């Protein structure tokens, strides 16, 4: 009897391992397909170079920032890949519960678009999360063990705008994507703030960029974004991403640590904090690597 139970246990474990392996392969294949679609928009022409002289007409804080972070003549990448580490806050305001994550994210400024593929563990169980803005469509997918779907949202104007807002806010990690040549339209607010607008397909995203005394971006702000804690009906609240530290990557100055927050009536609620482990510009890739 004991031998039979042991054999059954081994067989079940083998079946479970096979199921999980297939689930991971399906997830990776779907991610690779989304990346291929995104990278197809990168183009194959030579890399344009940043020209500081072409910043005339931009709001003063924007021009000052771009001159500081982009050396004159800096090649502008067609594709940027970032490997991330950080933490998600899966608690609630006043009761934080930070869980570590790792992620790989691809950006294509010409699209514009991105694909974010993350892993984290909840109670020892792996959770896969994939967000994207590809071909003008926003999407968000989360699965436990790559099998059980916990969130699946895609399509629609609201999703596209939210995804494009995310792309625009995260363009501080690829500052060439904030140039007018990349489609960003700038409007001055005052000496320390400017408004950026980006249009992709039918989606239009606008964010406020706030600059410090040193000329660097301190934060990116939206007066209203949809806050959904999964417990209450979605509501609109201010949102911001704050840069904590800058560093040098491939001749450019980019954030190396940041935190993202909701500005709720009860105060700031941080829900994401992260740091790039590696930033690669125009790295050769087939789009299939994980």
């Amino acid at each position: 009897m004991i031998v039979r139970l042991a054999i059954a246990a081994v067989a079940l474990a083998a079946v479970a391992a096979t199921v999980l392996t297939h689930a991971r392969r399906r997830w990776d294949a779907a991610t690779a397909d989304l990346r291929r679609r995104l990278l197809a928009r990168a183009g194959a022409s030579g890399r344009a170079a940043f020209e500081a002289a072409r910043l005339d007409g931009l709001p003063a804080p924007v021009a000052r920032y771009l001159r500081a972070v982009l050396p004159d003549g800096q090649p502008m990448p067609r594709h940027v890949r970032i490997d991330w580490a950080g933490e998600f806050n899966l608690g609630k305001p006043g009761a934080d519960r930070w869980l570590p994550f790792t992620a790989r994210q691809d950006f294509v400024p010409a699209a514009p678009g991105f694909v974010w593929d993350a892993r984290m563990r909840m109670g020892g169980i792996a959770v896969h999360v994939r967000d994207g803005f590809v071909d003008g469509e926003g999407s968000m997918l989360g699965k436990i063990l790559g099998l059980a779907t916990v969130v699946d949202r895609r399509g629609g104007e609201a999703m596209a705008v939210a995804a494009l807002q995310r792309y625009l806010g995260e363009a501080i990690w690829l500052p060439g994507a904030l140039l007018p040549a990349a489609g960003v339209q700038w409007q001055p607010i005052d000496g320390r703030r400017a408004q950026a607008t980006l249009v992709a397909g039918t989606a239009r995203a606008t964010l406020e960029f706030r600059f410090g005394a040193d000329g660097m971006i301190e934060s990116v702000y939206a007066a209203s974004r949809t806050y959904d804690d999964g417990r209450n009906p979605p509501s609109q609240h201010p949102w911001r991403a704050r840069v904590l530290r800058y560093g040098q990557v491939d001749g450019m100055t980019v954030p190396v640590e940041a935190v993202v927050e909701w500005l709720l009536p009860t105060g700031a609620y941080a829900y994401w904090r992260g740091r790039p482990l590696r930033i690669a510009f125009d790295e050769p890739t087939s789009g299939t690597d994980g």
Side-chain angles (χ1 to χ4, degrees), residues 66-125:
L66 290 170
R67 288 191 177 96
V69 300
L70 290 170
D72 200 22
Q74 174 76 36
M76 294 292 94
R78 297 185 301 272
H79 165 226
V80 180
R81 169 167 286 180
I82 303 180
D83 292 327
W84 293 96
E87 297 83 34
F88 276 114
N89 188 356
L90 297 185
K92 56 185 180 180
D96 292 340
R97 184 163 68 97
W98 291 98
L99 294 180
F101 75 85
T102 58
R104 171 161 286 181
Q105 187 171 15
D106 293 270
F107 296 90
V108 171
F114 71 90
V115 174
W116 157 281
D117 184 24
R119 303 287 186 277
M120 61 179 155
R121 303 190 74 84
M122 298 175 59
I125 299 175

Side-chain angles (χ1 to χ4, degrees), residues 10 25 33 38 46 69 71 83 110-111 138 141 144 163 172 212 214 227 282:
V10 171
R25 287 175 178 170
D33 180 65
L38 176 66
V69 300
D83 292 327
L141 180 64
I144 297 173
I172 56 179
D214 60 357
Y227 172 67
D282 288 333

Side-chain angles (χ1 to χ4, degrees), residues 1-286:
M1 183 66 175
I2 294 177
V3 173
R4 290 179 181 175
L5 288 174
I7 292 173
V10 171
L12 286 173
V15 169
T18 299
V19 169
L20 292 177
T21 297
H22 284 314
R24 285 195 297 270
R25 287 175 178 170
R26 286 195 300 271
W27 179 276
D28 290 342
T31 302
D33 180 65
L34 201 60
R35 282 195 183 118
R36 277 191 292 268
R37 288 169 52 197
L38 176 66
L39 293 174
R41 302 289 301 276
S45 59
R47 297 168 70 183
F50 168 63
E51 299 178 53
R54 301 186 67 176
L55 298 179
D56 294 344
L58 287 180
V62 178
R64 184 167 57 246
Y65 161 76
L66 290 170
R67 288 191 177 96
V69 300
L70 290 170
D72 200 22
Q74 174 76 36
M76 294 292 94
R78 297 185 301 272
H79 165 226
V80 180
R81 169 167 286 180
I82 303 180
D83 292 327
W84 293 96
E87 297 83 34
F88 276 114
N89 188 356
L90 297 185
K92 56 185 180 180
D96 292 340
R97 184 163 68 97
W98 291 98
L99 294 180
F101 75 85
T102 58
R104 171 161 286 181
Q105 187 171 15
D106 293 270
F107 296 90
V108 171
F114 71 90
V115 174
W116 157 281
D117 184 24
R119 303 287 186 277
M120 61 179 155
R121 303 190 74 84
M122 298 175 59
I125 299 175
V127 178
H128 298 54
V129 180
R130 181 172 62 238
D131 295 345
F133 185 66
V134 179
D135 295 333
E137 180 182 74
S139 63
M140 176 186 298
L141 180 64
K143 290 191 175 187
I144 297 173
L145 297 172
L147 285 169
T149 301
V150 292
V151 59
D152 186 0
R153 301 174 185 169
R154 69 183 67 198
E157 181 180 359
M159 195 73 195
V161 171
L164 185 59
Q165 282 180 317
R166 174 175 173 176
Y167 168 87
L168 181 58
E170 292 177 354
I172 56 179
W173 276 279
L174 43 150
L178 292 172
L179 291 167
V184 179
Q185 303 170 25
W186 288 97
Q187 294 293 327
I189 297 177
D190 56 34
R192 297 277 286 270
R193 297 181 299 158
Q195 180 177 280
T197 298
L198 181 62
V199 177
T202 61
R204 181 184 182 91
T206 298
L207 294 173
E208 180 181 306
F209 286 70
R210 298 175 172 182
F211 301 83
D214 60 357
M216 304 301 286
I217 292 173
E218 289 186 335
S219 65
V220 182
Y221 172 82
S224 179
R225 291 192 75 189
T226 301
Y227 172 67
D228 186 354
D229 63 3
R231 306 176 186 90
N232 302 291
S235 54
Q236 297 296 310
H237 293 286
W239 169 98
R240 73 180 174 194
R242 290 191 294 118
V243 178
L244 302 181
R245 287 190 301 124
Y246 279 94
Q248 293 286 317
V249 178
D250 196 28
M252 290 178 271
T253 302
V254 299
V256 294
E257 188 177 5
V259 60
V260 184
E261 305 165 315
W262 290 104
L263 303 179
L264 304 176
T266 54
Y269 167 58
Y271 68 91
W272 183 97
R273 56 195 185 198
R275 53 206 172 275
L277 299 176
R278 177 174 174 268
I279 303 179
F281 300 96
D282 288 333
E283 180 181 70
T285 175
S286 64

